Amino acid sequence: MFLTPTAVFGQEEGLTPTEKCRLITAADLSDAKAPGFGKYTMTTQEVVSTPRLDLKSNPIAKTYRTVLRQEIAEGPNYAGHYRVAFWGCGASCAIFAVVNLKTGRVITAREFATVLGTHLTADDFLPGTKSNGWGFRFKIDSSLLVILGAPDEDESKAGAYYFVLQGEKLRLIHATHVNKNCENVKP
């Protein structure tokens, strides 16, 4: 599933200076203190032949069981035997969860459930990841998950959020907030 921020579509032509200022680029998300995928490597990658969804493991599992079952059928894409799943919840909005393909347990972040990417133009941020969505960066051999955009559609908190999967929980370990002052930019 590939989600595209609807307000931008990768085109900056014809935008006012204020609109251009609001765009979030890879440079805006750059942070020397941010953790890297290599620090959280996984040594084993396991194939689960018939993953099953545990509908009782998380309230989101029952509500979104169809999309989660479709996702887990694709196999692991994160941290060895897990699947990062995300799906649309409106224009430039995505809901996400991580599924343990061995147990079927659904894991969600405590900090936020959705992410908005209306002003996100950072496709080149953290290259080399296997994610196929604008707001998610992850690798099968790492337990680091990076989520880009505005959590719970709050654009004042836009940035990059770094989670580590530990003990069947997503733990927020770092956040890089985008601080732009576009009010003083002339239209």
Side-chain angles (χ1 to χ4, degrees), residues 2-15 19 23-24 90-93 117-123 134:
F2 189 83
L3 303 169
T4 304
T6 58
V8 179
F9 290 115
Q11 298 176 4
E12 294 183 34
E13 298 171 17
L15 296 178
E19 291 168 331
L23 296 179
I24 299 169
S92 298
C93 178
T118 303
H119 302 289
L120 192 62
T121 61
D123 290 344
W134 51 261

Side-chain angles (χ1 to χ4, degrees), residues 16-183:
T16 68
T18 301
E19 291 168 331
K20 285 182 183 178
C21 181
R22 292 184 71 198
L23 296 179
I24 299 169
T25 66
D28 296 323
L29 299 170
S30 180
D31 182 351
K33 295 179 182 177
F37 290 98
K39 185 174 180 182
Y40 300 95
T41 58
M42 306 290 297
T43 56
T44 60
Q45 295 178 20
E46 302 175 42
V47 176
V48 180
S49 59
T50 55
R52 300 188 58 78
L53 184 63
D54 180 351
L55 295 175
K56 295 179 183 177
S57 63
N58 189 305
I60 207 170
K62 192 171 185 181
T63 304
Y64 296 102
R65 64 184 168 266
T66 302
V67 71
L68 287 169
R69 284 180 176 141
Q70 290 170 345
E71 283 288 325
I72 65 175
E74 298 293 320
N77 64 2
Y78 169 64
H81 62 273
Y82 292 84
R83 177 87 186 170
V84 173
F86 51 91
W87 56 97
C89 57
S92 298
C93 178
I95 299 174
F96 66 96
V98 173
V99 182
N100 180 331
L101 298 184
K102 283 183 168 183
T103 66
R105 289 184 45 84
V106 176
I107 304 160
T108 52
R110 187 179 47 173
E111 289 76 11
F112 55 91
T114 65
V115 63
L116 181 70
T118 303
H119 302 289
L120 192 62
T121 61
D123 290 344
D124 54 342
F125 183 69
L126 298 176
T129 59
K130 298 293 183 188
S131 57
N132 60 351
W134 51 261
F136 303 88
R137 304 291 187 272
F138 51 86
K139 293 184 175 188
I140 194 154
D141 63 350
S142 177
S143 61
L144 184 67
L145 169 62
V146 184
I147 300 174
L148 313 176
D152 289 334
E153 302 183 50
D154 183 349
E155 291 189 41
S156 70
K157 295 180 180 176
Y161 293 83
Y162 295 76
F163 291 89
V164 171
L165 182 65
Q166 290 180 330
E168 294 293 297
K169 292 184 180 181
L170 288 171
R171 185 170 68 91
L172 181 66
I173 59 168
H174 186 81
T176 302
H177 297 280
V178 175
N179 294 314
K180 288 188 166 191
N181 182 2
C182 297
E183 285 76 33

